[in-house]
């Protein structure tokens, strides 16, 4: 109404008492503001939660996701067995992976150097002695979820070593996935 996007709202202390100052650029006086707004505005105050309260709330919410995550992990184990028994890894990744960055490419992650992925993932690719074409025998759990990892090939020496891999991600559900928490 005043030709600006937002009024300026500030809190101040005057005479030891807290006050709120609201500035409407372009308004001439209080009556002008009332005419433009059209009604008395409603202002709501809320206390911020402490870090401890937020942590407790997140932990409580995570408990709601635990049964879903258990089912997800169970499915991941089933798909791991299918992959280890020789089913086409690319097809399994395209069908089951919840990684939007690689599922449409059959789980292909291309060549990567150490440090690109989270430590648990890097450890499997660079330290577990997987052979070319080999699928890691266990699920790899990270903060993102459960991964089935297949090493395709590696190149370079110890200093510039790169590994080409594929993976299937079964994502964990967490309270952080819900907007505005």
């Amino acid at each position: 109404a005043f030709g600006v996007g937002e009024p300026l709202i500030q809190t101040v202390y005057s005479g030891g008492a807290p006050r709120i100052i609201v500035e409407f650029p372009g308004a001439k006086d209080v009556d002008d503001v009332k005419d433009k707004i059209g009604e008395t505005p409603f202002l709501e105050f809320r206390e911020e939660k402490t870090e401890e309260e937020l942590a407790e709330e997140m932990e409580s919410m995570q408990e709601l996701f635990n049964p879903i995550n258990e089912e997800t992990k169970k499915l991941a184990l089933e798909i791991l067995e299918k992959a280890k028994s020789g089913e086409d890894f690319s097809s399994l990744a395209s069908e089951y992976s919840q990684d939007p960055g690689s599922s449409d490419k059959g789980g292909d992650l291309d060549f990567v150097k150490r440090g690109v992925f989270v430590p648990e993932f890097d450890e499997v690719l660079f330290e577990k002695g997987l052979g070319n074409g080999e699928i890691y025998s266990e699920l790899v759990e990270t903060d993102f979820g459960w991964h089935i990892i297949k090493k395709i090939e590696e190149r370079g020496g110890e200093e510039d070593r790169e590994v080409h891999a594929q993976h299937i991600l079964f994502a964990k559900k967490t309270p952080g996935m819900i907007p505005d928490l």
Side-chain angles (χ1 to χ4, degrees):
F2 298 105
V4 296
E6 297 285 330
L8 175 63
I9 302 171
Q10 301 176 11
T11 56
V12 295
Y13 279 89
S14 176
R19 297 192 176 269
I20 298 174
I21 299 174
V22 180
E23 295 180 8
F24 289 90
K28 298 178 187 97
D29 56 34
V30 173
D31 292 328
D32 191 24
V33 171
K34 287 180 184 177
D35 289 342
K36 301 279 189 205
I37 293 175
E39 62 184 58
T40 303
F42 177 73
L43 188 58
E44 185 176 337
F45 294 90
R46 297 181 185 192
E47 278 189 44
E48 288 187 29
K49 293 182 180 180
T50 66
E51 290 292 323
E52 185 177 291
E53 290 171 325
L54 286 172
E56 286 174 11
E57 188 174 291
M58 293 295 262
E59 187 176 313
S60 172
M61 290 181 70
Q62 183 59 50
E63 289 177 21
L64 297 173
F65 291 109
N66 288 342
I68 297 167
N69 286 334
E70 285 302 315
E71 286 300 312
T72 300
K73 183 178 180 181
K74 184 177 171 184
L75 176 61
L77 286 166
E78 289 173 19
I79 302 307
L80 174 60
E81 290 308 313
K82 287 182 177 188
K84 289 184 344 185
S85 71
E87 286 198 35
D88 183 62
F89 197 93
S90 295
S91 297
L92 291 172
S94 294
E95 183 175 348
Y96 293 102
S97 186
Q98 297 170 331
D99 177 5
S102 70
S103 64
D104 60 339
K105 299 183 289 184
D108 195 320
L109 298 171
D110 208 358
F111 279 96
V112 295
K113 291 185 178 190
R114 182 186 298 271
V116 170
F117 298 119
V118 292
E120 302 89 345
F121 203 102
D122 265 4
E123 181 180 346
V124 170
L125 289 180
F126 293 92
E127 297 173 21
K128 294 292 184 177
L130 281 180
N132 291 343
E134 188 177 348
I135 296 170
Y136 189 61
S137 62
E138 300 174 27
L139 290 179
V140 177
E141 185 174 357
T142 69
D143 289 342
F144 301 106
W146 296 273
H147 304 262
I148 300 171
I149 301 173
K150 179 180 181 180
K151 178 180 174 181
I152 297 174
E153 63 180 311
E154 69 178 83
R155 66 182 179 198
E158 194 55 40
E159 293 293 317
D160 61 346
R161 184 175 170 207
E162 293 182 308
V163 174
H164 183 193
Q166 287 176 284
H167 84 131
I168 304 171
L169 170 65
F170 295 85
K172 284 183 184 176
K173 306 295 186 239
T174 64
M177 300 173 99
I178 301 172
D180 299 329
L181 280 184

